[in-house]
Amino acid sequence: MSTRHILLGLLAAGPSHGYDLKRRHDERFPQARPLAYGQVYTTLQRLVRDGLAEVDGTDADGGPERTLYRRTADGTRELTRWAGEIAPPAPFVTNEIFAKVVVSILSGGDPEAYLRAQRTAHMERMRELTAVKTDPGADLTTVLSADYALNHLDADLRWMTTTAARLTTLTAEVDSA
C-alpha cells in the first residue's frame, strides 16, 4: 500500500495535520498495519518536497501547535493517476510460509508440524476477523477489510493443505537439489 497516495487521498477532505491523518488512516483501513506517527510526518515532508502537498498554516486547537497540510493541484493529478492504475498481480512468490517449509526440510525440521501450527494460527486469526465483521456495529469499511483478509487467509489454508499432501515429494526434491 502506498502511504503517500493514501495520505493524498485523506487530504481530499481538506487541510489536515499529521495526527488527524494518522487517526483517519487507522479508521479507514482497520485491518492494515497502523501508521506510525513518524511515518506520517516523514511522508508529509516528502509530499511537500515533491510539490504534491503544501503547508496550509498551523492550528493550535487548544493544544500544541500543529502544522496543517493540504493537497496541491499536482497532488490531485498524481492521486488520480495512481488510483487509475491497475495493480499488477505479484510477479514473484515471496511467501514466508513456503520459505519456512523449505527451510524446515533443509534443516531437518518437521515441516508437517510447522504447517499444522501455522494452520492453527490462521484459523485463530480467521475467527478474530469473523467476529470483527459480524459485530453489529461494524461499518462497511471494516466488513470489507475483514473480508479481504479472510479471503487471503483462506487461500493460504488451501495452499497449506495442498502442500501438506505433497510433502513427501517436496522433501525428496529439496533433498536431491
Side-chain angles (χ1 to χ4, degrees):
M1 195 160 54
S2 170
T3 302
R4 69 189 270 129
H5 292 100
I6 298 300
L7 292 180
L8 283 172
L10 292 172
L11 284 170
S16 300
H17 49 79
Y19 176 83
D20 188 44
L21 291 167
K22 185 252 189 292
R23 183 185 51 77
R24 289 196 342 245
H25 169 275
D26 294 351
E27 288 172 358
R28 298 262 187 232
F29 303 97
Q31 299 307 318
R33 177 175 293 143
L35 288 180
Y37 287 105
Q39 182 180 14
V40 171
Y41 290 106
T42 300
T43 303
L44 286 169
Q45 289 169 357
R46 288 181 185 142
L47 290 171
V48 169
R49 177 198 69 200
D50 296 342
L52 303 176
E54 61 189 11
V55 173
D56 192 50
T58 57
D59 177 14
D61 198 28
E65 190 172 275
R66 294 184 178 142
T67 302
L68 290 167
Y69 297 88
R70 73 174 184 84
R71 195 171 61 189
T72 63
D74 284 347
T76 299
R77 282 189 291 279
E78 170 61 17
L79 183 62
T80 300
R81 182 201 59 74
W82 175 80
E85 286 180 349
I86 301 302
F92 304 104
V93 176
T94 55
N95 185 320
E96 185 175 353
I97 299 169
F98 177 68
K100 287 183 177 185
V101 168
V102 171
V103 168
S104 180
I105 292 168
L106 289 169
S107 64
D110 187 348
E112 190 171 1
Y114 169 74
L115 286 170
R116 278 194 308 274
Q118 188 64 57
R119 174 178 281 284
T120 299
H122 268 56
M123 295 298 292
E124 177 58 31
R125 180 65 178 139
M126 290 177 87
R127 283 189 286 278
E128 292 169 4
L129 288 166
T130 299
V132 164
K133 77 176 242 170
T134 58
D135 183 287
D139 59 21
L140 186 56
T141 299
T142 299
V143 170
L144 291 174
S145 180
D147 281 341
Y148 186 85
L150 283 163
N151 279 296
H152 281 266
L153 290 167
D154 182 59
D156 283 352
L157 286 173
R158 286 183 277 123
W159 179 86
M160 284 183 245
T161 298
T162 301
T163 300
R166 296 175 175 168
L167 270 178
T168 301
T169 304
L170 179 61
T171 300
E173 284 183 12
V174 169
D175 285 344
S176 70

